[in-house]
Amino acid sequence: METKSAEWIEATEAKIREAFDLFDTDKADAIIQEEVGTVMCALGAFPTERALVLEILPAMQDDEPTGFVSYAKFEKKMLQILASKEWDPDSGDVLLQAFRTIDTENTGYISSELMEELLTTRGTPFRPKELEDFLKMAKDPETGNLFQRTTLLCILRCITQSHSVGYSSV
């Protein structure tokens, strides 16, 4: 991993603090461990559930896990993760191939029911609010389907929004 400049470290620390503070609602300088993945996504890092549970959370927790992650440990691990770019988001080409894999009949769309099933039963499941927000953006109001172009634009917009806040472009 390349050495990052003092400016990069300073800017990244500020962005990590900003994202962390959104979830540290009682200002205890700690967040519940279930929110770590969400904060990481806001910072532009998208680990697998397996990596989060088996690698990342243990590195962020104290010797005796309390269910909370302190800011100091979160920041230290996030600086490493963001510098390594290990969990950067997939490219548009990868997302397009994933959509085409789901769209087995090559229709250019998939049903919202199928997408809902996939998003709630595979990989890291969406929470109800995340699913609602995603479907609100991606689902065609007339047909109820998710068209390839609209769906990919919604996914890329979500990734870009975390970048435009500066989180993953640090």
Side-chain angles (χ1 to χ4, degrees), residues 47-97:
T48 64
E49 185 71 17
R50 180 176 175 80
L52 183 63
V53 171
L54 297 178
E55 301 168 28
I56 298 166
L57 281 174
M60 291 182 179
Q61 292 173 324
D62 292 321
D63 295 334
E64 295 183 29
T66 61
F68 290 89
V69 172
S70 73
Y71 177 75
K73 292 202 175 204
F74 181 83
E75 179 190 60
K76 180 180 178 184
K77 185 64 177 171
M78 283 308 303
L79 284 170
Q80 294 169 356
I81 288 170
L82 294 173
S84 73
K85 299 182 179 279
E86 180 179 1
W87 300 109
D88 277 2
D90 289 328
S91 70
D93 291 339
V94 171
L95 295 172
L96 177 59
Q97 184 57 46

Side-chain angles (χ1 to χ4, degrees), residues 95-170:
L95 295 172
L96 177 59
Q97 184 57 46
F99 189 96
R100 288 179 175 162
T101 300
I102 298 167
D103 179 17
T104 56
E105 295 178 18
N106 200 27
T107 59
Y109 67 87
I110 54 177
S111 72
S112 60
E113 292 82 11
L114 175 58
M115 182 61 89
E116 184 172 345
E117 178 188 334
L118 293 172
L119 294 177
T120 57
T121 63
R122 306 285 172 97
T124 303
F126 273 42
R127 295 181 184 142
K129 179 70 172 138
E130 292 171 323
L131 180 64
E132 177 187 340
D133 290 347
F134 175 75
L135 291 176
K136 193 182 301 180
M137 286 190 312
K139 186 166 70 169
D140 180 70
E142 293 178 20
T143 65
N145 293 322
L146 286 89
F147 289 94
Q148 176 181 307
R149 181 170 164 37
T150 307
T151 302
L152 295 178
L153 286 173
C154 287
I155 293 168
L156 292 171
R157 183 180 309 131
C158 290
I159 293 168
T160 304
Q161 284 175 346
S162 70
H163 285 222
S164 68
V165 175
Y167 291 134
S168 64
S169 61
V170 290

Side-chain angles (χ1 to χ4, degrees), residues 12-28:
T12 304
E13 287 173 343
K15 290 166 184 171
I16 292 170
R17 172 52 85 179
E18 181 183 353
F20 188 91
D21 284 350
L22 292 173
F23 293 88
D24 182 15
T25 55
D26 60 359
K27 305 303 174 210

